[in-house]
Amino acid sequence: MSRLFGTDGVRGLANGELTPELALAIAASAARVLAAHDRSHRQVAVVGRDPRASGEMLEAAVVAGLASAGADVLRVGVQPTPAVAFLVSELNADLGVMISASHNPMPDNGIKLFAAGGHKLPDGIEDEIEAGLDADAVRPTGAEVGRVSDVDDALDRYSAHLLAATPHPLAGVRVVVDCANGAASAAAPEVYRKAGAEVIAIHAEPDGININDGCGSTHLEQLQTAVLEHGADLGIAHDGDADRCLAVDAVGQIIDGDQIMAVLALAMADDGELTDETLVATVMSNLGLHLAMRAHGVNVRTTAVGDRYVLEELRAGGYAIGGEQSGHVVLPAHATTGDGLLTALRLMSRIASTGRPLAELAGVMRRLPQVLVNVRVADKAAVAGSEAVRDAVGAVEAELGEEGRVLLRPSGTEQLVRVMVEAPAQDTAQAAADRLAGVVSAVS
């Protein structure tokens, strides 16, 4: 049987794979597991959600599950995922539950759990929770049943935290923010205005159905148009739960997560905040990021794909910034998880403090053409052990030298091998990727 928890919690079709019964069971099991680890006090859980329609149903189930297991519940309503992580620490809670499917389409939903302090739960605790789903536990009664209350100032607390982490006022910055009709719809425009920016908000009217619908960080076309129409300095795009941030410069060019990290890492280096002059990125970050950082004396530590692995490396080395090409950026001094609003504030702060346009700041990094070919195979292990594949990869790497890169990565969920090639020219990258894909396909 496959593991219930993926790299980012439990996710699936709401009321299909992710039913209220399952949500109740997960919440109750989580409360019991955490109580078993610490019986010194009554457990307290923070529960938030994004605005998709099924969130109302799943929130009710999660709250019921927690209270039925004896945990007190603090409901914070519609909030970004990083706000829930922050509020777990801020409210001295033992557990956080965020109900969201992030950038997924509206019919999906998910449950993400945070431990005390707002950190992701360790795999071992998640396994204990999964093992306890069908447990015939003794339920508390009377005064031992959990109580439920609402935190009316949750957004104010989160906004104050973000403003305190913004190093320079945003006066003079005009920004268009695409809130994806998601969890950032109230928070992002408010906090950007409080920081001093002139804000034009689009897709900030969630109705439970329109989250991520042709908007947000996975659909940047309308943001590009709006930036040009309003003569803005930049555009910011969030996903449904606002843990990511992508940007658009004043002429509508996309600034991806790698470029954002390059800008922020150099800003932190200038301010003496870049621990060990090191940035953490995944293997999928563009080679251009590595070359730009090397030119500026910044080391790049590389991890497997997934924010979980970035977080592990950040914590292990005590590093100050890490993230992914998708715009999921973590700044451990201020957040325990990716925070799209914090990322945007820091990016705009750099623009405001230097007086330089985003295109110039992001120009420190040149994105190399990147080609990705998915090759369906019968046996991923055979590909990994193939001498022919190794020889082909070695030959391409020798041809590209330091100005190119090859990455072969087996899919974690399908019988696919992903062939990625970066090179100075698109044609060169495409030809090399096609050549390697042919060798991989021939093995199986």
Side-chain angles (χ1 to χ4, degrees):
M1 186 178 72
S2 62
R3 189 172 185 266
L4 177 66
F5 287 90
T7 58
D8 205 25
V10 179
R11 197 174 294 186
L13 179 65
N15 219 26
E17 298 145 326
L18 182 55
T19 63
E21 291 85 357
L22 177 58
L24 188 149
I26 291 170
S29 182
R32 290 193 298 266
V33 167
L34 292 180
H37 281 265
D38 184 359
R39 299 189 182 278
S40 65
H41 63 282
R42 186 165 170 143
Q43 301 294 297
V44 177
V46 172
V47 177
R49 62 181 177 88
D50 73 24
R52 67 188 75 212
S54 60
E56 300 159 2
M57 168 187 75
L58 293 173
E59 178 190 56
V62 165
V63 169
L66 292 166
S68 74
D72 290 335
V73 179
L74 302 174
R75 285 188 304 208
V76 298
V78 173
Q79 298 286 344
T81 289
V84 172
F86 164 74
L87 289 165
V88 171
S89 176
E90 172 78 1
L91 300 170
N92 198 29
D94 305 282
L95 174 68
V97 184
M98 179 63 186
I99 302 163
S100 174
S102 188
H103 58 280
N104 282 31
M106 184 277 295
D108 290 347
N109 217 322
I111 296 175
K112 184 185 295 188
L113 303 179
F114 293 100
H119 298 283
K120 285 198 170 185
L121 282 179
D123 288 350
I125 298 294
E126 288 182 343
D127 290 340
E128 288 184 51
I129 292 169
E130 183 170 349
L133 291 180
D134 300 320
D136 188 16
V138 176
R139 295 186 177 184
T141 58
E144 299 305 312
V145 172
R147 305 298 298 272
V148 182
S149 59
D150 295 315
V151 181
D152 295 328
D153 65 346
L155 181 54
D156 291 338
R157 288 172 180 254
Y158 177 54
S159 296
H161 158 69
L162 290 175
L163 293 171
T166 304
H168 194 281
L170 306 186
V173 175
R174 175 182 287 185
V175 60
V176 179
V177 55
D178 184 341
C179 301
N181 291 315
S185 295
E190 176 180 318
V191 75
Y192 299 161
R193 289 187 180 111
K194 285 182 176 178
E198 179 185 348
V199 180
I200 300 100
I202 63 174
H203 304 124
E205 298 180 354
D207 60 10
I209 309 298
N210 58 3
I211 187 171
N212 298 323
D213 187 8
C215 56
S217 61
T218 54
H219 302 277
L220 295 171
E221 300 82 8
Q222 292 186 57
L223 177 62
Q224 291 171 296
T225 298
V227 165
L228 296 175
E229 286 179 350
H230 292 281
D233 297 297
L234 77 161
I236 293 293
H238 296 300
D239 58 339
D241 71 336
D243 64 352
R244 298 184 187 186
C245 165
L246 293 180
V248 170
D249 70 18
V251 296
Q253 292 297 309
I254 295 171
I255 308 298
D256 68 11
D258 285 341
Q259 292 168 292
I260 291 172
M261 286 193 291
V263 173
L264 297 188
L266 295 184
M268 295 171 77
D270 287 348
D271 294 338
E273 298 178 343
L274 191 64
T275 307
D276 290 342
E277 302 300 306
T278 297
L279 165 70
V280 178
T282 76
V283 293
M284 290 305 293
S285 277
N286 194 278
L287 178 60
L289 175 63
H290 294 258
L291 297 176
M293 293 298 94
R294 185 186 306 163
H296 287 82
V298 175
N299 306 307
V300 179
R301 301 279 297 183
T302 304
T303 76
V305 175
D307 66 305
R308 174 181 295 269
Y309 304 110
V310 172
L311 281 163
E312 287 175 358
E313 185 67 20
L314 285 169
R315 295 180 72 178
Y319 302 122
I321 180 173
E324 300 180 275
Q325 197 177 59
S326 63
H328 192 280
V329 178
V330 184
L331 298 165
H334 307 289
T336 57
T337 188
D339 190 328
L341 280 72
L342 175 62
T343 302
L345 286 165
R346 301 284 291 205
L347 184 65
M348 289 188 281
S349 181
R350 183 64 166 173
I351 294 170
S353 65
T354 62
R356 297 164 63 190
L358 178 56
E360 181 182 331
L361 291 170
V364 69
M365 172 191 155
R366 182 174 74 90
R367 281 184 296 190
L368 271 66
Q370 188 178 81
V371 173
L372 180 66
V373 179
N374 291 321
V375 184
R376 188 158 296 279
V377 299
D379 186 349
K380 290 181 287 189
V383 173
S386 167
E387 186 174 345
V389 170
R390 285 196 300 273
D391 289 346
V393 168
V396 171
E397 287 177 335
E399 292 168 12
L400 296 175
E402 291 190 356
E403 293 191 335
R405 186 166 68 110
V406 176
L407 177 66
L408 266 63
R409 187 167 67 91
S411 167
T413 57
E414 301 176 84
Q415 284 296 325
L416 294 175
V417 171
R418 307 190 194 283
V419 177
M420 190 273 285
V421 176
E422 291 169 337
Q426 181 74 27
D427 290 349
T428 303
Q430 187 69 61
D434 290 342
R435 187 167 120 207
L436 290 174
V439 176
V440 169
S441 181
V443 169
S444 55

